Amino acid sequence: MTSGTSPSDSASRRARAVLPEGWPQPRGYANGMVAEGKVLVTGGLVGWDVQGVFAKGFVAQVGQTLANIKAVVEAGGGKVEDIVRLTWYVTDIEAYRNSLAELGPAYRANLGRHFPAMAVVSVPALVEPEAMVEIEATAVLPG
C-alpha cells in the first residue's frame, strides 16, 4: 500500500489519507486514514443547536451536525484535520443522494477540504424523531 495525497495531507501530518497503489483518488472522502495520538470519539450527533432546536431541512441539519462535531472536537483540544472517520446515519437515502450538490458547501463551511474515511448508512429512524441525520466522528489528537 502507498499513501495517497489528498487535501488533508497538507493540513495535518498527524492524520493522512491512505490510498492503495492503482486505486482511483476518491472524491469527498478517504478510503482509509492513518494517525498517531489520543483518540476522541463522539457520540451520534444530530442537527440541533444548543437550545435543542433542529435545523429545518436535510442539508441544514447536516450543516448543524457537522458544526456540532467540530465544536466537540475543538472542545477536546483537536481541530477538524484531526478527524479520521465519520459515520453518517440518514433516514432518507434519497434526500442524501439528491442533495449532494448542496451538501458540498455545507460540509466545507464546517470541515473545509478535509475528507476523512466516511460511510453513509440508511436507517429507518433515529432516536430523536425530528433528526434526519446523525453522525459519529473519530478524531486522533496530538499525543
Side-chain angles (χ1 to χ4, degrees):
M1 271 203 255
T2 60
S3 295
T5 58
S6 74
S8 63
D9 286 348
S10 61
S12 174
R13 293 292 174 199
R14 290 188 313 274
R16 61 180 170 80
V18 175
L19 183 66
E21 191 171 329
W23 282 31
Q25 183 70 42
R27 290 183 38 160
Y29 67 96
N31 289 304
M33 298 287 287
V34 64
E36 290 183 34
K38 298 182 295 185
V39 176
L40 180 152
V41 180
T42 74
L45 300 177
V46 294
W48 58 21
D49 62 18
V50 296
Q51 286 82 34
V53 176
F54 277 92
K56 301 295 182 220
F58 183 76
V59 174
Q61 282 197 20
V62 168
Q64 182 63 55
T65 302
L66 295 171
N68 294 343
I69 288 169
K70 180 180 178 183
V72 170
V73 170
E74 290 176 348
K79 56 187 178 179
V80 166
E81 293 81 10
D82 296 323
I83 298 171
V84 296
R85 180 170 183 76
L86 295 172
T87 303
W88 301 44
Y89 302 94
V90 299
T91 59
D92 184 348
I93 196 66
E94 289 307 314
Y96 173 84
R97 290 178 179 146
N98 294 333
S99 300
L100 292 175
E102 295 85 13
L103 287 173
Y107 182 95
R108 288 187 302 275
N110 292 286
L111 303 185
R113 294 197 173 274
H114 175 66
F115 304 109
M118 289 190 228
V120 177
V121 181
S122 179
V123 296
L126 297 165
V127 171
E128 293 296 331
E130 289 184 68
M132 299 174 177
V133 61
E134 184 170 321
I135 303 175
E136 298 173 333
T138 303
V140 180
L141 311 181

